Amino acid sequence: MDKTIKLRVKKEIDNSSELKVLKLKGTLISKGYTEIIHIADENTEYYLNSFSTSPENKKEVEHFVLDYITNHDLADTITLVSTKN
């Protein structure tokens, strides 16, 4: 069974941060972690981006996302949402 990973992404961001977010999503797809990323409004300030990955990849994906957020100074823009699965 696939595991869902959720990212909370701020709506109002500058162009540089927006490009970094797009690159993260593209990299998740190109590395084969997922095929599609779903985007929904969470509230007036944030989008909720979610995607499924295999159980074997879940921890690796979470570490990759956290490292990407840190290395690209996106802590104020993207948050990895904890999931129980």
Side-chain angles (χ1 to χ4, degrees), residues 12-63:
E12 300 289 327
I13 57 177
D14 59 51
N15 286 342
S16 174
S17 295
E18 186 172 357
L19 289 173
K20 292 174 187 176
V21 170
L22 290 172
K23 184 176 179 185
L24 170 61
K25 293 178 188 180
T27 303
L28 290 168
I29 293 168
S30 67
K31 284 184 171 278
Y33 291 137
T34 190
E35 292 181 8
I36 189 167
I37 298 174
H38 304 278
I39 303 169
D41 283 334
E42 182 178 40
N43 54 40
T44 57
E45 293 184 44
Y46 294 95
Y47 294 112
L48 194 59
N49 293 225
S50 60
F51 61 94
S52 296
T53 193
S54 66
E56 307 83 50
N57 286 340
K58 187 171 189 275
K59 288 292 181 197
E60 182 180 341
V61 173
E62 289 174 342
H63 289 292

